[in-house]
Amino acid sequence: AQSVTQLDSHVSVSEGTPVLLRCNYSSSYSPSLFWYVQHPNKGLQLLLKYTSAATLVKGINGFEAEFKKSETSFHLTKPSAHMSDAAEYFCVVSDSRGTDKLIFGTGTRLQVFP
Amino acid sequence: GAGVSQSPRYKVAKRGQDVALRCDPISGHVSLFWYQQALGQGPEFLTYFQNEAQLDKSGLPSDRFFAERPEGSVSTLKIQRTQQEDSAVYLCASSLQANTEAFFGQGTRLTVV
């Protein structure tokens, strides 16, 4: 069975400092992995996705993630946090052999302080 | 109106009441998903449609939950005899076809009192 584990429920950073949101995955075959962001009262938005092409994936708003098979990790990073980055972030794995249903982690709440 | 639209945005139901939640997917999208997001948790899969066919309903928590998409576009999630544990945000997502990006609606927040 596939699953993802988000290692931090809350992360706080100062504006302009780097962001690191950690995610480990479990999959019996090569997974499709995603990061989604959820702002209050807004729908989930896709930040980026990995589908076995390049291991370093660039997404929107300056975010990127690196797929590391040896560590079963897919951590999300951004060099410099902005106040507008404050939101809930979800690491997600896709059941791509079946219905494409998405399996979400429990989420990491990112706070950005001025 | 290019996005996934869900209605109502908020619903308060008395325990034991039946509710119906509507999802209007992006026009032309073949795949449609329903997810349930409890407070402080990530969304959890409920069911999946490909056009009008319900291909996976393994996530529906009980036989009180029923979903349909009769003409392959609009979908309705129905919950019968609501219970307090049904309180959650119900999210709908659609995608053009398999293995393409899923777009989410803003969800319906259901509160059972």
Side-chain angles (χ1 to χ4, degrees):
Chain A
Q2 295 153 283
S3 65
V4 288
T5 301
Q6 292 186 246
L7 301 171
D8 307 292
S9 58
H10 290 85
V11 170
S12 298
V13 300
S14 298
E15 191 175 22
T17 64
V19 175
L20 170 64
L21 305 183
R22 298 182 296 165
C23 173
N24 287 118
Y25 70 90
S26 173
S27 178
S28 53
Y29 50 90
S30 184
S32 293
L33 292 161
F34 309 78
W35 277 96
Y36 277 82
V37 62
Q38 188 175 40
H39 290 274
N41 297 318
K42 291 192 176 180
L44 284 157
Q45 182 183 21
L46 179 66
L47 276 179
L48 50 82
K49 68 175 182 179
Y50 166 78
T51 53
S52 77
T55 56
L56 182 63
V57 183
K58 293 188 183 300
I60 62 172
N61 300 334
F63 285 94
E64 60 183 38
E66 186 172 6
F67 175 75
K68 290 187 177 180
K69 187 174 180 179
S70 61
E71 298 176 11
T72 61
S73 69
F74 190 59
H75 301 334
L76 181 70
T77 60
K78 182 173 181 178
S80 176
H82 193 272
M83 295 295 290
S84 61
D85 294 329
E88 189 87 20
Y89 291 79
F90 293 97
C91 182
V92 182
V93 64
S94 170
D95 181 15
S96 55
R97 291 194 309 179
T99 60
D100 285 338
K101 68 184 180 187
L102 300 177
I103 300 163
F104 286 77
T106 50
T108 298
R109 181 164 297 278
L110 176 64
Q111 284 186 300
V112 183
F113 294 104
Chain B
V4 177
S5 177
Q6 293 187 245
S7 61
R9 288 291 315 281
Y10 304 92
K11 176 71 178 176
V12 178
K14 290 184 178 179
R15 194 168 52 181
Q17 243 182 341
D18 297 349
V19 298
L21 313 179
R22 177 187 170 103
C23 173
D24 281 89
I26 294 172
S27 178
H29 277 197
V30 168
S31 299
L32 186 146
F33 302 83
W34 284 97
Y35 292 85
Q36 179 191 59
Q37 186 175 18
L39 190 64
Q41 301 295 317
E44 292 191 355
F45 170 80
L46 292 177
T47 187
Y48 163 70
F49 290 86
Q50 188 178 85
N51 294 308
E52 69 278 5
Q54 189 175 20
L55 299 185
D56 187 344
K57 53 182 181 179
S58 61
L60 296 176
S62 78
D63 58 8
R64 297 186 295 104
F65 287 70
F66 172 76
E68 60 183 4
R69 194 186 185 197
E71 297 178 359
S73 55
V74 171
S75 177
T76 304
L77 176 67
K78 297 179 179 178
I79 309 173
Q80 297 177 321
R81 304 181 304 281
T82 52
Q83 304 293 315
Q84 268 195 312
E85 62 263 27
D86 300 335
S87 296
V89 176
Y90 290 85
L91 297 167
C92 177
S94 71
S95 63
L96 186 61
Q97 57 188 28
N99 293 317
T100 61
E101 180 181 350
F103 293 86
F104 282 81
Q106 289 187 267
T108 295
R109 182 178 296 277
L110 173 65
T111 303
V112 182
V113 298

